[in-house]
């Protein structure tokens, strides 16, 4: 059995955040890059190119699909069934299907305009962070798939998400305000980490799956950075508990033990 190797996201996934103005598409529509770029440009009011989609996919900010032009045999990462279980086409990827490209292939497409690849990426949420891993791969006797930008496809959801990053931020109109209240004491990084940990644990009790994503969106921060801060807050809390036990062992009945 092959060990699963998870890839920690270096960049946050993009999400749509404004009303779509680029044309009639739905989140599940699958578009070639040229068409996706035209619609994204219309929405953003400035040029968005196919290369912008390739670079975003190479960073893991959006998912990129590709049409495969031949039938191939595959297997799951553990040697089991990857697709079409119990059918005559078990573990066979048919010509014309549109799987998600692995991250390395997206990077090669962005850098060189061509990619050879043989793995199929999957996603698993770990501590609220979507981790990427090789869910399936071509069998040993199969040659690599070859992909160029003309083979690539992107969903309407990811078109909207990338297009929104090109939209100019328009500040809301100024509203008359009353006298500003006295400024609150500035929160220290340690206090912020502790507050996020408390909020995350409370969110997990409500619905565990996606707790970190919801909290990061509510706080308006990067999910990956928040995950690191929460982990650090857990370590700080454990250190404080250990320090308290040590101190209690030194003092008994208000007197320091010799």
């Amino acid at each position: 059995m092959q060990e699963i190797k998870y890839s920690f996201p270096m960049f946050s996934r993009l999400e749509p955040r404004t009303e779509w103005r680029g044309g009639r598409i739905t989140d599940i529509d699958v578009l070639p890059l040229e068409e996706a770029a035209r619609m994204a440009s219309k929405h953003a009011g400035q040029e968005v190119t196919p290369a912008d989609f390739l670079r975003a996919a190479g960073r893991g900010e959006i998912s990129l699909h590709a049409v495969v032009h031949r039938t191939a045999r595959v297997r799951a990462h553990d040697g089991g069934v990857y697709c079409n279980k119990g059918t005559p086409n078990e573990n066979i990827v048919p010509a014309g299907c549109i799987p998600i490209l692995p991250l390395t292939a997206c990077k090669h497409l962005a850098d060189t305009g061509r990619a050879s690849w043989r793995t199929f990426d999957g996603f698993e949420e770990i501590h609220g962070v979507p981790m990427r891993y090789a869910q399936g791969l071509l069998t040993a006797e199969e040659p690599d798939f070859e992909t160029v930008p003309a083979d690539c496809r992107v969903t309407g959801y990811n078109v909207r998400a990338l297009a929104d990053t090109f939209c100019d931020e328009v500040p809301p109109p100024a509203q008359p305000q009353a006298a500003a209240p006295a400024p609150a004491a500035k929160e220290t990084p340690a206090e912020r980490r502790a507050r996020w940990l408390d909020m995350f644990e409370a969110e997990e009790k409500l619905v565990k799956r996606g707790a970190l994503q919801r909290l990061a969106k509510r706080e308006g921060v990067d999910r990956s950075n928040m995950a690191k801060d929460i982990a650090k807050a857990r370590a700080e809390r454990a250190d404080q508990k250990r320090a308290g036990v040590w101190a209690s062992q030194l003092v008994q009945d208000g007197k320091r033990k010799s």
Side-chain angles (χ1 to χ4, degrees):
M1 179 174 174
Q2 184 174 334
E3 182 184 358
I4 299 178
K5 295 182 178 179
Y6 293 100
S7 175
F8 194 87
M10 298 298 293
F11 297 87
S12 296
R13 297 280 293 184
L14 299 180
E15 298 178 354
R17 53 184 174 80
T18 68
E19 184 178 352
W20 176 247
R21 303 179 299 276
R24 190 171 183 272
I25 56 172
T26 67
D27 286 352
I28 62 173
D29 289 336
V30 179
L31 291 77
L33 295 186
E34 292 288 347
E35 183 180 8
R38 287 196 300 271
M39 299 186 87
S41 299
K42 181 179 179 181
H43 171 79
Q46 58 177 300
E47 186 180 15
V48 182
T49 69
D52 291 315
F53 282 93
L54 294 177
R55 284 190 288 268
R59 293 188 290 263
E61 295 174 322
I62 63 172
S63 295
L64 190 66
H65 300 248
V67 179
V68 298
H69 299 291
R70 62 178 176 83
T71 298
R73 290 194 172 275
V74 298
R75 64 176 179 83
H77 66 88
D78 58 0
V81 177
Y82 172 69
C83 62
N84 303 323
K85 185 175 182 179
T87 72
N89 290 326
E90 183 174 287
N91 272 350
I92 293 178
V93 172
C97 73
I98 316 175
I100 294 177
L101 282 170
L103 194 62
T104 52
C106 296
K107 291 178 180 177
H108 290 160
L109 282 164
D111 294 341
T112 68
R114 181 176 294 274
S116 299
W117 54 281
R118 56 188 306 108
T119 61
F120 301 83
D121 278 4
F123 295 88
E124 183 175 339
E125 193 169 282
I126 300 177
H127 300 306
V129 179
M131 306 288 276
R132 201 164 183 154
Y133 70 102
Q135 189 176 29
L137 63 157
L138 294 171
T139 55
E141 67 274 10
E142 291 285 355
D144 291 355
F145 283 130
E146 299 286 339
T147 295
V148 296
D151 300 321
C152 296
R153 301 292 185 270
V154 64
T155 62
Y157 179 90
N158 285 306
V159 175
R160 293 175 51 218
L162 182 64
D164 272 345
T165 66
F166 286 82
C167 291
D168 295 328
E169 294 287 350
V170 179
Q175 299 291 332
Q177 297 181 359
K186 186 176 180 181
E187 186 179 46
T188 67
E191 290 170 340
R192 183 191 67 244
R193 290 193 296 268
R195 176 171 60 84
W196 282 352
L197 175 57
D198 290 341
M199 294 172 68
F200 175 66
E201 290 177 340
E203 191 73 27
E204 273 195 318
K205 289 179 181 178
L206 296 175
V207 181
K208 186 171 183 180
R209 184 176 179 84
L212 181 63
Q213 182 177 0
R214 295 192 301 273
L215 180 57
K217 187 173 183 179
R218 200 158 63 230
E219 290 286 295
V221 298
D222 179 79
R223 181 172 50 195
S224 300
N225 290 337
M226 175 176 272
K228 295 174 184 176
D229 275 356
I230 288 174
K232 189 171 183 179
R234 280 201 180 101
E236 291 169 343
R237 184 172 64 184
D239 288 342
Q240 289 173 356
K241 288 182 179 179
R242 283 193 292 270
V245 170
W246 180 78
S248 67
Q249 291 172 345
L250 290 179
V251 178
Q252 190 175 51
D253 298 329
K255 298 179 180 180
R256 181 175 295 273
K257 297 169 66 178
S258 58

